[in-house]
Amino acid sequence: MNQQSQRFLNNLASIHTHSRYCDGHGEIYEYVEAAIAAGLSAFGASGHAPLPFPCEYAMPLTSVDAYCADVRLLAAHYADRLPVLLGLELDYLPGLSEFYEREFLLRHFDYYVASVHYVGELGTEPWAYDESDMAFRREVKRRHGGDARPVVENYFQRVLQMVDELKSWPVPIVIGHLDRIALWNRNDCYFPTNDDWYLGIVDEVLTAISRTPLIIELNTSGWSKPAEVSNPGLAILTRCAAKQIPTIVSADAHRPANVAANYRRAVQLLKQAGYREIVVPGKGAWSTRPLLGE
Ligand SMILES: [Zn+2]
Ligand SMILES: [Zn+2]
């Protein structure tokens, strides 16, 4: 790695990653090695947290101890080369706070990525909106006669609830892929992202976040998905910057080779949105440093 790229990446970390413990590929040490090779400032493992019902992509509850031990061992091994943090990607669903607190908060993870993957009205079966375009289309048609707006509103209401529930947790929390509900919305084919109702609900969510210590991520994995946009995209990111919501770049990598995927593009987008600083993770409190790069 030459000096320029070292300088380019030296305030960027990769703390949203999935290994073979959940639906990712590869061992966690392979991610750590890839993060060092990419010149990153820190690495964090954030396997999909178990859910109290069967879920294909999540880590089984029985694997959590081995996962924690693996990451802690790597943190000690790489201590003089790179901070290695123990995290989880929490899957937010209303009514699970006791489960989260009992199973995760008390185990002292270094941080959490908190995401909404399931939507659906309370009292009905939750459904994962990110499975496939076809499944999304089918559910929107079946539940709402083809109108995606109630699904989008339900998603952001859930994010609002999540922000409210997690804001007082005593560890850094990163909100995962904030506008991921637009995953299949290529060219606004399901809902118009410049309509007042959409911008209104987004603004309500951002205002709520800005009153908490929560961090948002610029998740670069969406650039490799059908809609070919980052999460969030430029319009929302610009609003986040205006509200001074702290941000971090993350890859949501499911393979070690993707640990810093699209990071150059991410820095350019953050600057375009008006960001001048970025959150740098570490042990204990996370700090804010200048956003370096071209
Ligand atoms: Zn996620
Ligand atoms: Zn993820």
Side-chain angles (χ1 to χ4, degrees):
M1 170 141 304
N2 63 36
Q3 258 191 343
Q4 198 187 359
S5 52
Q6 188 73 38
R7 180 185 170 277
F8 182 88
L9 287 172
N10 69 8
N11 278 347
L12 299 186
S14 191
I15 50 83
H16 187 162
T17 63
H18 300 281
S19 68
R20 57 109 179 151
Y21 283 96
C22 54
D23 62 345
H25 302 268
E27 298 291 340
I28 297 174
Y29 79 84
E30 295 177 281
Y31 283 82
V32 179
E33 289 288 343
I36 292 170
L40 298 181
S41 62
F43 169 80
S46 66
H48 283 291
L51 281 159
F53 52 83
C55 173
E56 255 175 34
Y57 59 76
M59 200 185 319
L61 206 48
T62 48
S63 299
V64 175
D65 284 341
Y67 168 75
C68 293
D70 193 354
V71 180
R72 289 296 187 213
L73 206 63
L74 290 169
H77 182 77
Y78 287 96
D80 57 346
R81 298 170 71 188
L82 187 78
V84 173
L85 306 179
L86 174 61
L88 270 184
E89 181 173 10
L90 281 185
D91 213 323
Y92 181 77
L93 274 161
L96 290 187
S97 4
E98 259 183 48
F99 172 77
Y100 297 137
E101 286 177 23
R102 182 181 68 239
E103 298 296 344
F104 311 131
L105 190 56
L106 297 176
R107 285 176 192 252
H108 305 294
F109 285 84
D110 295 322
Y111 72 97
Y112 300 92
V113 176
S115 305
V116 172
H117 296 117
Y118 283 99
V119 288
E121 294 69 32
L122 284 178
T124 66
E125 205 186 324
W127 59 282
Y129 63 84
D130 60 352
E131 237 170 50
S132 70
D133 190 359
M134 208 194 286
F136 185 79
R137 184 173 296 273
R138 186 188 62 228
E139 291 303 314
V140 167
K141 187 153 192 247
R142 193 165 73 86
R143 292 165 190 257
H144 304 287
D147 181 9
R149 178 171 169 172
V151 178
V152 175
E153 288 174 338
N154 181 245
Y155 170 84
F156 281 114
Q157 284 301 336
R158 202 150 283 185
V159 173
L160 268 178
Q161 245 175 312
M162 176 177 84
V163 167
D164 194 51
E165 270 189 44
L166 303 188
K167 67 186 178 195
S168 53
W169 280 28
V171 282
I173 293 185
V174 178
I175 298 175
H177 41 68
L178 184 62
D179 61 348
R180 185 53 68 94
I181 193 66
L183 181 61
W184 312 111
N185 196 36
R186 192 175 185 145
N187 300 321
D188 284 6
C189 61
Y190 284 102
F191 56 92
T193 47
N194 58 358
D195 247 34
D196 284 352
W197 71 263
Y198 182 75
L199 295 173
I201 194 160
V202 166
D203 199 60
E204 192 184 344
V205 170
L206 299 188
T207 301
I209 296 170
S210 70
R211 293 176 178 148
T212 73
L214 304 192
I215 299 159
I216 60 139
E217 64 169 3
L218 169 51
N219 186 314
T220 65
S221 70
W223 273 316
S224 316
K225 293 196 160 75
E228 292 176 39
V229 291
S230 59
N231 297 112
L234 180 60
I236 293 182
L237 209 53
T238 304
R239 288 175 156 79
C240 292
K243 290 185 188 294
Q244 299 185 315
I245 298 173
T247 190
I248 190 164
V249 175
S250 74
D252 206 346
H254 284 66
R255 293 179 188 279
N258 292 336
V259 76
N262 296 310
Y263 268 29
R264 285 169 191 280
R265 194 172 171 183
V267 169
Q268 284 165 4
L269 195 72
L270 282 179
K271 291 196 160 183
Q272 210 182 332
Y275 273 103
R276 296 292 172 263
E277 288 185 326
I278 193 154
V279 174
V280 177
K283 289 281 175 195
W286 293 8
S287 55
T288 305
R289 301 223 198 112
L291 180 64
L292 302 177
E294 288 129 17

